[in-house]
PDB file of all heavy atoms in Angstrom:
ATOM      1  N   MET A 290      -4.594  -5.498   7.006  1.00 95.00           N
ATOM      2  CA  MET A 290      -4.090  -6.803   6.576  1.00 95.00           C
ATOM      3  C   MET A 290      -2.860  -6.646   5.688  1.00 95.00           C
ATOM      4  O   MET A 290      -1.859  -7.339   5.874  1.00 95.00           O
ATOM      5  CB  MET A 290      -5.169  -7.586   5.829  1.00 95.00           C
ATOM      6  CG  MET A 290      -4.678  -8.971   5.407  1.00 95.00           C
ATOM      7  SD  MET A 290      -5.820  -9.840   4.320  1.00 95.00           S
ATOM      8  CE  MET A 290      -5.601  -8.955   2.790  1.00 95.00           C
ATOM      9  N   TYR A 291      -2.910  -5.728   4.728  1.00 97.00           N
ATOM     10  CA  TYR A 291      -1.762  -5.536   3.838  1.00 97.00           C
ATOM     11  C   TYR A 291      -0.522  -5.136   4.631  1.00 97.00           C
ATOM     12  O   TYR A 291       0.575  -5.647   4.385  1.00 97.00           O
ATOM     13  CB  TYR A 291      -2.059  -4.472   2.777  1.00 97.00           C
ATOM     14  CG  TYR A 291      -3.210  -4.812   1.858  1.00 97.00           C
ATOM     15  CD1 TYR A 291      -4.071  -3.820   1.409  1.00 97.00           C
ATOM     16  CD2 TYR A 291      -3.439  -6.114   1.431  1.00 97.00           C
ATOM     17  CE1 TYR A 291      -5.127  -4.116   0.561  1.00 97.00           C
ATOM     18  CE2 TYR A 291      -4.493  -6.415   0.582  1.00 97.00           C
ATOM     19  CZ  TYR A 291      -5.334  -5.414   0.157  1.00 97.00           C
ATOM     20  OH  TYR A 291      -6.373  -5.708  -0.681  1.00 97.00           O
ATOM     21  N   GLU A 292      -0.689  -4.258   5.594  1.00 96.00           N
ATOM     22  CA  GLU A 292       0.452  -3.827   6.396  1.00 96.00           C
ATOM     23  C   GLU A 292       0.984  -4.958   7.266  1.00 96.00           C
ATOM     24  O   GLU A 292       2.189  -5.028   7.529  1.00 96.00           O
ATOM     25  CB  GLU A 292       0.088  -2.593   7.214  1.00 96.00           C
ATOM     26  CG  GLU A 292      -0.082  -1.370   6.313  1.00 96.00           C
ATOM     27  CD  GLU A 292      -0.504  -0.108   7.040  1.00 96.00           C
ATOM     28  OE1 GLU A 292      -0.930  -0.171   8.228  1.00 96.00           O
ATOM     29  OE2 GLU A 292      -0.421   0.979   6.404  1.00 96.00           O
ATOM     30  N   LYS A 293       0.116  -5.864   7.672  1.00 95.00           N
ATOM     31  CA  LYS A 293       0.564  -7.041   8.423  1.00 95.00           C
ATOM     32  C   LYS A 293       1.514  -7.888   7.571  1.00 95.00           C
ATOM     33  O   LYS A 293       2.449  -8.502   8.087  1.00 95.00           O
ATOM     34  CB  LYS A 293      -0.660  -7.863   8.861  1.00 95.00           C
ATOM     35  CG  LYS A 293      -0.300  -9.101   9.655  1.00 95.00           C
ATOM     36  CD  LYS A 293      -1.523  -9.765  10.273  1.00 95.00           C
ATOM     37  CE  LYS A 293      -2.430 -10.331   9.226  1.00 95.00           C
ATOM     38  NZ  LYS A 293      -3.515 -11.140   9.789  1.00 95.00           N
ATOM     39  N   PHE A 294       1.301  -7.889   6.268  1.00 96.00           N
ATOM     40  CA  PHE A 294       2.166  -8.630   5.352  1.00 96.00           C
ATOM     41  C   PHE A 294       3.352  -7.795   4.861  1.00 96.00           C
ATOM     42  O   PHE A 294       4.054  -8.199   3.946  1.00 96.00           O
ATOM     43  CB  PHE A 294       1.359  -9.145   4.154  1.00 96.00           C
ATOM     44  CG  PHE A 294       0.556 -10.369   4.468  1.00 96.00           C
ATOM     45  CD1 PHE A 294      -0.809 -10.268   4.721  1.00 96.00           C
ATOM     46  CD2 PHE A 294       1.148 -11.616   4.531  1.00 96.00           C
ATOM     47  CE1 PHE A 294      -1.556 -11.400   5.019  1.00 96.00           C
ATOM     48  CE2 PHE A 294       0.411 -12.750   4.826  1.00 96.00           C
ATOM     49  CZ  PHE A 294      -0.944 -12.636   5.074  1.00 96.00           C
ATOM     50  N   GLU A 295       3.548  -6.623   5.466  1.00 95.00           N
ATOM     51  CA  GLU A 295       4.682  -5.743   5.161  1.00 95.00           C
ATOM     52  C   GLU A 295       4.543  -4.963   3.862  1.00 95.00           C
ATOM     53  O   GLU A 295       5.535  -4.476   3.328  1.00 95.00           O
ATOM     54  CB  GLU A 295       6.024  -6.496   5.191  1.00 95.00           C
ATOM     55  CG  GLU A 295       6.341  -7.140   6.510  1.00 95.00           C
ATOM     56  CD  GLU A 295       6.531  -6.143   7.652  1.00 95.00           C
ATOM     57  OE1 GLU A 295       7.146  -5.083   7.430  1.00 95.00           O
ATOM     58  OE2 GLU A 295       6.044  -6.412   8.763  1.00 95.00           O
ATOM     59  N   PHE A 296       3.324  -4.861   3.324  1.00 97.00           N
ATOM     60  CA  PHE A 296       3.114  -3.913   2.235  1.00 97.00           C
ATOM     61  C   PHE A 296       3.337  -2.527   2.823  1.00 97.00           C
ATOM     62  O   PHE A 296       2.882  -2.230   3.930  1.00 97.00           O
ATOM     63  CB  PHE A 296       1.679  -4.001   1.683  1.00 97.00           C
ATOM     64  CG  PHE A 296       1.461  -5.097   0.692  1.00 97.00           C
ATOM     65  CD1 PHE A 296       1.038  -6.358   1.095  1.00 97.00           C
ATOM     66  CD2 PHE A 296       1.653  -4.864  -0.661  1.00 97.00           C
ATOM     67  CE1 PHE A 296       0.819  -7.365   0.183  1.00 97.00           C
ATOM     68  CE2 PHE A 296       1.427  -5.870  -1.601  1.00 97.00           C
ATOM     69  CZ  PHE A 296       1.015  -7.124  -1.175  1.00 97.00           C
ATOM     70  N   LYS A 297       4.023  -1.679   2.089  1.00 97.00           N
ATOM     71  CA  LYS A 297       4.336  -0.327   2.552  1.00 97.00           C
ATOM     72  C   LYS A 297       3.622   0.695   1.675  1.00 97.00           C
ATOM     73  O   LYS A 297       3.597   0.564   0.447  1.00 97.00           O
ATOM     74  CB  LYS A 297       5.848  -0.058   2.487  1.00 97.00           C
ATOM     75  CG  LYS A 297       6.684  -1.008   3.310  1.00 97.00           C
ATOM     76  CD  LYS A 297       6.417  -0.838   4.778  1.00 97.00           C
ATOM     77  CE  LYS A 297       7.345  -1.750   5.586  1.00 97.00           C
ATOM     78  NZ  LYS A 297       6.858  -1.985   6.907  1.00 97.00           N
ATOM     79  N   PHE A 298       3.084   1.712   2.339  1.00 97.00           N
ATOM     80  CA  PHE A 298       2.442   2.806   1.623  1.00 97.00           C
ATOM     81  C   PHE A 298       3.477   3.475   0.732  1.00 97.00           C
ATOM     82  O   PHE A 298       4.588   3.772   1.158  1.00 97.00           O
ATOM     83  CB  PHE A 298       1.860   3.809   2.618  1.00 97.00           C
ATOM     84  CG  PHE A 298       1.363   5.065   1.975  1.00 97.00           C
ATOM     85  CD1 PHE A 298       0.151   5.076   1.307  1.00 97.00           C
ATOM     86  CD2 PHE A 298       2.117   6.229   2.016  1.00 97.00           C
ATOM     87  CE1 PHE A 298      -0.310   6.236   0.700  1.00 97.00           C
ATOM     88  CE2 PHE A 298       1.662   7.392   1.413  1.00 97.00           C
ATOM     89  CZ  PHE A 298       0.446   7.394   0.755  1.00 97.00           C
ATOM     90  N   ASP A 299       3.106   3.701  -0.528  1.00 96.00           N
ATOM     91  CA  ASP A 299       3.994   4.377  -1.466  1.00 96.00           C
ATOM     92  C   ASP A 299       3.520   5.810  -1.703  1.00 96.00           C
ATOM     93  O   ASP A 299       4.249   6.760  -1.467  1.00 96.00           O
ATOM     94  CB  ASP A 299       4.068   3.586  -2.774  1.00 96.00           C
ATOM     95  CG  ASP A 299       5.078   4.145  -3.749  1.00 96.00           C
ATOM     96  OD1 ASP A 299       6.087   4.713  -3.312  1.00 96.00           O
ATOM     97  OD2 ASP A 299       4.848   4.022  -4.965  1.00 96.00           O
ATOM     98  N   LYS A 300       2.272   5.943  -2.170  1.00 96.00           N
ATOM     99  CA  LYS A 300       1.742   7.283  -2.417  1.00 96.00           C
ATOM    100  C   LYS A 300       0.240   7.211  -2.656  1.00 96.00           C
ATOM    101  O   LYS A 300      -0.321   6.152  -2.921  1.00 96.00           O
ATOM    102  CB  LYS A 300       2.422   7.927  -3.616  1.00 96.00           C
ATOM    103  CG  LYS A 300       2.223   7.181  -4.933  1.00 96.00           C
ATOM    104  CD  LYS A 300       3.042   7.797  -6.051  1.00 96.00           C
ATOM    105  CE  LYS A 300       2.965   6.932  -7.296  1.00 96.00           C
ATOM    106  NZ  LYS A 300       3.819   7.429  -8.359  1.00 96.00           N
ATOM    107  N   LYS A 301      -0.370   8.361  -2.572  1.00 96.00           N
ATOM    108  CA  LYS A 301      -1.780   8.501  -2.918  1.00 96.00           C
ATOM    109  C   LYS A 301      -1.828   8.731  -4.422  1.00 96.00           C
ATOM    110  O   LYS A 301      -1.152   9.629  -4.933  1.00 96.00           O
ATOM    111  CB  LYS A 301      -2.376   9.683  -2.161  1.00 96.00           C
ATOM    112  CG  LYS A 301      -3.861   9.762  -2.188  1.00 96.00           C
ATOM    113  CD  LYS A 301      -4.327  10.850  -1.219  1.00 96.00           C
ATOM    114  CE  LYS A 301      -5.816  10.776  -1.040  1.00 96.00           C
ATOM    115  NZ  LYS A 301      -6.279  11.696   0.006  1.00 96.00           N
ATOM    116  N   ILE A 302      -2.598   7.919  -5.150  1.00 94.00           N
ATOM    117  CA  ILE A 302      -2.590   8.047  -6.613  1.00 94.00           C
ATOM    118  C   ILE A 302      -3.858   8.685  -7.174  1.00 94.00           C
ATOM    119  O   ILE A 302      -3.856   9.155  -8.295  1.00 94.00           O
ATOM    120  CB  ILE A 302      -2.315   6.696  -7.307  1.00 94.00           C
ATOM    121  CG1 ILE A 302      -3.349   5.653  -6.933  1.00 94.00           C
ATOM    122  CG2 ILE A 302      -0.917   6.235  -6.995  1.00 94.00           C
ATOM    123  CD1 ILE A 302      -3.246   4.379  -7.752  1.00 94.00           C
ATOM    124  N   LYS A 303      -4.911   8.672  -6.397  1.00 87.00           N
ATOM    125  CA  LYS A 303      -6.158   9.343  -6.768  1.00 87.00           C
ATOM    126  C   LYS A 303      -6.729   9.936  -5.491  1.00 87.00           C
ATOM    127  O   LYS A 303      -6.185   9.719  -4.404  1.00 87.00           O
ATOM    128  CB  LYS A 303      -7.165   8.359  -7.381  1.00 87.00           C
ATOM    129  CG  LYS A 303      -6.757   7.797  -8.717  1.00 87.00           C
ATOM    130  CD  LYS A 303      -7.827   6.864  -9.239  1.00 87.00           C
ATOM    131  CE  LYS A 303      -7.374   6.196 -10.519  1.00 87.00           C
ATOM    132  NZ  LYS A 303      -8.295   5.141 -10.928  1.00 87.00           N
ATOM    133  N   GLU A 304      -7.849  10.605  -5.634  1.00 89.00           N
ATOM    134  CA  GLU A 304      -8.423  11.272  -4.463  1.00 89.00           C
ATOM    135  C   GLU A 304      -8.579  10.336  -3.264  1.00 89.00           C
ATOM    136  O   GLU A 304      -8.256  10.692  -2.144  1.00 89.00           O
ATOM    137  CB  GLU A 304      -9.780  11.880  -4.823  1.00 89.00           C
ATOM    138  CG  GLU A 304     -10.384  12.658  -3.698  1.00 89.00           C
ATOM    139  CD  GLU A 304     -11.671  13.333  -4.085  1.00 89.00           C
ATOM    140  OE1 GLU A 304     -11.795  13.789  -5.238  1.00 89.00           O
ATOM    141  OE2 GLU A 304     -12.562  13.394  -3.235  1.00 89.00           O
ATOM    142  N   ASN A 305      -9.065   9.117  -3.481  1.00 92.00           N
ATOM    143  CA  ASN A 305      -9.299   8.184  -2.375  1.00 92.00           C
ATOM    144  C   ASN A 305      -8.556   6.864  -2.529  1.00 92.00           C
ATOM    145  O   ASN A 305      -8.928   5.874  -1.899  1.00 92.00           O
ATOM    146  CB  ASN A 305     -10.798   7.901  -2.243  1.00 92.00           C
ATOM    147  CG  ASN A 305     -11.578   9.139  -1.890  1.00 92.00           C
ATOM    148  OD1 ASN A 305     -11.184   9.882  -0.999  1.00 92.00           O
ATOM    149  ND2 ASN A 305     -12.662   9.392  -2.600  1.00 92.00           N
ATOM    150  N   THR A 306      -7.538   6.813  -3.366  1.00 94.00           N
ATOM    151  CA  THR A 306      -6.862   5.553  -3.667  1.00 94.00           C
ATOM    152  C   THR A 306      -5.388   5.626  -3.294  1.00 94.00           C
ATOM    153  O   THR A 306      -4.688   6.562  -3.665  1.00 94.00           O
ATOM    154  CB  THR A 306      -6.999   5.208  -5.162  1.00 94.00           C
ATOM    155  OG1 THR A 306      -8.387   5.232  -5.512  1.00 94.00           O
ATOM    156  CG2 THR A 306      -6.438   3.831  -5.455  1.00 94.00           C
ATOM    157  N   LEU A 307      -4.943   4.608  -2.578  1.00 96.00           N
ATOM    158  CA  LEU A 307      -3.563   4.524  -2.121  1.00 96.00           C
ATOM    159  C   LEU A 307      -2.826   3.424  -2.868  1.00 96.00           C
ATOM    160  O   LEU A 307      -3.410   2.382  -3.184  1.00 96.00           O
ATOM    161  CB  LEU A 307      -3.516   4.224  -0.619  1.00 96.00           C
ATOM    162  CG  LEU A 307      -4.337   5.138   0.285  1.00 96.00           C
ATOM    163  CD1 LEU A 307      -4.267   4.652   1.719  1.00 96.00           C
ATOM    164  CD2 LEU A 307      -3.875   6.581   0.162  1.00 96.00           C
ATOM    165  N   LEU A 308      -1.552   3.651  -3.117  1.00 97.00           N
ATOM    166  CA  LEU A 308      -0.678   2.654  -3.727  1.00 97.00           C
ATOM    167  C   LEU A 308       0.230   2.091  -2.644  1.00 97.00           C
ATOM    168  O   LEU A 308       0.850   2.845  -1.887  1.00 97.00           O
ATOM    169  CB  LEU A 308       0.165   3.286  -4.837  1.00 97.00           C
ATOM    170  CG  LEU A 308       1.206   2.377  -5.503  1.00 97.00           C
ATOM    171  CD1 LEU A 308       0.510   1.281  -6.309  1.00 97.00           C
ATOM    172  CD2 LEU A 308       2.127   3.195  -6.390  1.00 97.00           C
ATOM    173  N   TYR A 309       0.298   0.763  -2.585  1.00 98.00           N
ATOM    174  CA  TYR A 309       1.170   0.060  -1.652  1.00 98.00           C
ATOM    175  C   TYR A 309       2.098  -0.851  -2.445  1.00 98.00           C
ATOM    176  O   TYR A 309       1.758  -1.298  -3.548  1.00 98.00           O
ATOM    177  CB  TYR A 309       0.349  -0.801  -0.685  1.00 98.00           C
ATOM    178  CG  TYR A 309      -0.153  -0.062   0.525  1.00 98.00           C
ATOM    179  CD1 TYR A 309      -1.205   0.828   0.440  1.00 98.00           C
ATOM    180  CD2 TYR A 309       0.435  -0.266   1.775  1.00 98.00           C
ATOM    181  CE1 TYR A 309      -1.671   1.504   1.554  1.00 98.00           C
ATOM    182  CE2 TYR A 309      -0.022   0.393   2.900  1.00 98.00           C
ATOM    183  CZ  TYR A 309      -1.073   1.280   2.784  1.00 98.00           C
ATOM    184  OH  TYR A 309      -1.528   1.943   3.890  1.00 98.00           O
ATOM    185  N   CYS A 310       3.255  -1.152  -1.860  1.00 98.00           N
ATOM    186  CA  CYS A 310       4.218  -2.049  -2.490  1.00 98.00           C
ATOM    187  C   CYS A 310       4.795  -2.986  -1.441  1.00 98.00           C
ATOM    188  O   CYS A 310       5.054  -2.597  -0.295  1.00 98.00           O
ATOM    189  CB  CYS A 310       5.339  -1.242  -3.143  1.00 98.00           C
ATOM    190  SG  CYS A 310       6.573  -2.280  -3.966  1.00 98.00           S
ATOM    191  N   LEU A 311       5.010  -4.224  -1.836  1.00 98.00           N
ATOM    192  CA  LEU A 311       5.669  -5.218  -0.988  1.00 98.00           C
ATOM    193  C   LEU A 311       6.957  -5.644  -1.670  1.00 98.00           C
ATOM    194  O   LEU A 311       6.933  -6.159  -2.791  1.00 98.00           O
ATOM    195  CB  LEU A 311       4.771  -6.439  -0.780  1.00 98.00           C
ATOM    196  CG  LEU A 311       5.398  -7.645  -0.077  1.00 98.00           C
ATOM    197  CD1 LEU A 311       5.851  -7.295   1.331  1.00 98.00           C
ATOM    198  CD2 LEU A 311       4.424  -8.810  -0.048  1.00 98.00           C
ATOM    199  N   ASN A 312       8.081  -5.423  -1.000  1.00 97.00           N
ATOM    200  CA  ASN A 312       9.364  -5.938  -1.445  1.00 97.00           C
ATOM    201  C   ASN A 312       9.430  -7.392  -0.988  1.00 97.00           C
ATOM    202  O   ASN A 312       9.501  -7.668   0.209  1.00 97.00           O
ATOM    203  CB  ASN A 312      10.496  -5.110  -0.827  1.00 97.00           C
ATOM    204  CG  ASN A 312      11.865  -5.614  -1.201  1.00 97.00           C
ATOM    205  OD1 ASN A 312      12.063  -6.803  -1.454  1.00 97.00           O
ATOM    206  ND2 ASN A 312      12.814  -4.718  -1.228  1.00 97.00           N
ATOM    207  N   MET A 313       9.377  -8.328  -1.924  1.00 96.00           N
ATOM    208  CA  MET A 313       9.282  -9.752  -1.583  1.00 96.00           C
ATOM    209  C   MET A 313      10.521 -10.268  -0.852  1.00 96.00           C
ATOM    210  O   MET A 313      10.465 -11.296  -0.192  1.00 96.00           O
ATOM    211  CB  MET A 313       9.011 -10.584  -2.830  1.00 96.00           C
ATOM    212  CG  MET A 313       7.605 -10.409  -3.378  1.00 96.00           C
ATOM    213  SD  MET A 313       6.301 -10.843  -2.183  1.00 96.00           S
ATOM    214  CE  MET A 313       6.539 -12.621  -2.079  1.00 96.00           C
TER     215      MET A 313
END
């Protein structure tokens, strides 16, 4: 769903946690 809204993967910040960012 996040990728459908154009959130882009930024980096892995913890063992199982991903950071995403959306340029509005």
Side-chain angles (χ1 to χ4, degrees):
M290 182 188 74
Y291 299 144
E292 290 177 347
K293 180 170 67 172
F294 281 101
E295 301 296 320
F296 278 91
K297 301 294 184 200
F298 171 77
D299 186 31
K300 62 186 173 185
K301 193 171 190 173
I302 59 171
K303 293 181 185 171
E304 184 176 324
N305 297 314
T306 306
L307 308 176
L308 176 68
Y309 275 75
C310 181
L311 172 61
N312 178 331
M313 289 301 291

